[in-house]
Amino acid sequence: MAIPSRQIGWSTQANLLWQISKQLERLTCVTACGCGTTTTTTTTIEPTTTSTTTAEPTTTTTSSSSSTSTSSTSTSSSTTTSTTTIEPTTTTTTTSNITGIELQYFDGNMDGGDGTPCDPLRETGFLEYFTTIECVPLIVGCPLYADEAATTNAANGYYQYGNGDYFYLFGGVVVNINVCPQTQFFLRFEDGNVPVSNPNHVSDWNTFFNLPANGVPFYDVSVAGPSDSEITLIGGSGITLQSVFLNNSYLIEVTDITKNVIFRTASGCFYNCDKLVTVSLGFAQIIGNETFRFCVMLETINLSACLNLGDTVGDNEVFKNIIGNTITLSVPVALMTCDSGNPDGDIQSLQSVNTVTIITV
């Protein structure tokens, strides 16, 4: 009779008996040379041994001519039982979730270039790297290893699939896909007076800008200049700048180097940054009301992608209280005619009290 399948909810005793039955079935099958299946779970059963010793009564009879003597000697019966507990032994085979993947790496040292898909170099050719099974195809956040044991991260830099898609790896993790070059956002402060406790920690900057709530976080930071006053943040994008620089008296320059980091500024973003000289936000499409109010030292303003300079085409005090400066302003040509054929009201106000050179794009 076939042994039934094990059922959920069986007692411990029932499960043990089922294991014994399956093992006996297996042993019978092996003896008959009819089995060849291997299982990853092995149950070893030690048999129960019972030994019994029985003494039968012995009768001895002695006779003589004068008398008869009968002697009976009995040895009582005794039974000794020893039982060995059956303990199942389980052997588990673990299958690695690491798998190989063929990619080519852009090596910036090969032709003296920067090693990016946006300025292609002679690639390394397709090599095998390793990731987890669930990360095929690779997405942001997936790991990439140089060895199958997954003990060594692959080198930082660009990697490409055969279909032309590419991604950037930093710290052993995919940080973005089809972004080239890597985004860079530059800040310069006076005398190293940065607004975070440790400028070398990218996490401090992400907290300062409230990322990822306000955009894609930065993944790296480069600190340079006197007193560590020049900050280049790498990897962020689509960021809304809230009023984090409000009344900052040390900020000198803000530049979206790759023109793909800052998407918009909230109202009063740089309000009263009285030492701010240069602002280049070539990706920002929305500039909030009073963004540069009281930025009394501004000389260079690049808003070449701006679609909305303030909430309306009138004067939203974006540049209010900037007076007597010589300023270069870059804006889309549409902003020069958006107010019934006239420039946006904020541009008109800036021109009225400053010497402004306007560059249209």
Side-chain angles (χ1 to χ4, degrees):
M1 184 176 69
I3 298 172
S5 299
R6 183 157 47 177
Q7 302 295 314
I8 297 174
W10 278 5
S11 66
T12 301
Q13 182 180 17
N15 277 293
L16 186 58
L17 289 173
W18 183 87
Q19 290 178 337
I20 295 171
S21 298
K22 292 298 288 185
Q23 184 65 19
L24 289 174
E25 180 185 59
R26 171 71 181 160
L27 292 172
T28 301
C29 191
V30 170
T31 302
C33 300
C35 299
T37 304
T38 302
T39 181
T40 58
T41 301
T42 304
T43 302
T44 304
I45 303 173
E46 296 295 337
T48 300
T49 303
T50 303
S51 61
T52 304
T53 304
T54 304
E56 298 295 336
T58 302
T59 303
T60 303
T61 304
T62 304
S63 301
S64 66
S65 58
S66 58
S67 62
T68 300
S69 172
T70 301
S71 172
S72 295
T73 304
S74 296
T75 303
S76 62
S77 175
S78 64
T79 301
T80 302
T81 302
S82 65
T83 303
T84 302
T85 303
I86 303 170
E87 295 290 344
T89 301
T90 302
T91 303
T92 302
T93 302
T94 302
T95 302
S96 172
N97 71 332
I98 300 297
T99 187
I101 182 171
E102 289 194 343
L103 304 165
Q104 57 184 354
Y105 175 64
F106 288 86
D107 188 342
N109 297 320
M110 296 183 70
D111 293 335
D114 58 359
T116 69
C118 45
D119 181 20
L121 302 173
R122 179 166 53 89
E123 300 91 354
T124 59
F126 283 92
L127 302 173
E128 187 174 27
Y129 298 89
F130 300 89
T131 188
T132 56
I133 292 173
E134 59 269 21
C135 275
V136 179
L138 290 166
I139 59 174
V140 173
C142 283
L144 190 69
Y145 304 103
D147 61 332
E148 190 171 6
T151 58
T152 304
N153 291 337
N156 292 344
Y158 286 96
Y159 294 79
Q160 190 170 47
Y161 291 106
N163 66 1
D165 285 342
Y166 56 89
F167 62 88
Y168 193 81
L169 192 80
F170 182 83
V173 176
V174 176
V175 294
N176 53 44
I177 296 175
N178 291 342
V179 175
C180 189
Q182 293 302 291
T183 63
Q184 297 182 57
F185 182 48
F186 178 78
L187 301 168
R188 178 182 286 115
F189 296 88
E190 183 181 63
D191 298 328
N193 288 287
V194 297
V196 298
S197 59
N198 191 331
N200 293 284
H201 289 175
V202 69
S203 59
D204 284 12
W205 290 104
N206 285 330
T207 298
F208 176 73
F209 290 110
N210 194 20
L211 304 175
N214 289 321
V216 177
F218 302 105
Y219 63 79
D220 196 16
V221 59
S222 174
V223 179
S227 303
D228 291 339
S229 59
E230 298 177 359
I231 311 298
T232 302
L233 295 160
I234 302 169
S237 62
I239 294 172
T240 294
L241 281 180
Q242 300 294 343
S243 54
V244 291
F245 292 110
L246 178 69
N247 297 321
N248 189 304
S249 294
Y250 302 103
L251 183 64
I252 298 173
E253 179 182 350
V254 176
T255 298
D256 186 343
I257 296 175
T258 50
K259 300 181 181 179
N260 53 3
V261 179
I262 306 303
F263 174 72
R264 69 181 295 168
T265 67
S267 178
C269 178
F270 297 104
Y271 189 102
N272 198 31
C273 288
D274 55 7
K275 289 189 174 65
L276 184 60
V277 175
T278 301
V279 173
S280 181
L281 301 177
F283 178 65
Q285 297 182 24
I286 301 171
I287 302 299
N289 298 343
E290 300 184 286
T291 287
F292 303 109
R293 187 170 183 177
F294 285 109
C295 294
V296 296
M297 295 184 69
L298 265 180
E299 296 177 356
T300 302
I301 308 169
N302 179 3
L303 303 175
S304 55
C306 180
L307 301 177
N308 296 301
L309 190 58
D311 289 344
T312 71
V313 296
D315 184 1
N316 300 283
E317 302 184 340
V318 172
F319 303 112
K320 191 170 180 63
N321 301 108
I322 302 174
I323 301 171
N325 294 356
T326 299
I327 297 173
T328 300
L329 173 67
S330 300
V331 292
V333 66
L335 289 185
M336 298 305 296
T337 58
C338 64
D339 188 6
S340 301
N342 297 311
D344 182 279
D346 291 291
I347 296 176
Q348 294 184 54
S349 295
L350 187 68
Q351 290 176 307
S352 68
V353 291
N354 297 275
T355 302
V356 182
T357 300
I358 295 179
I359 300 172
T360 57
V361 292

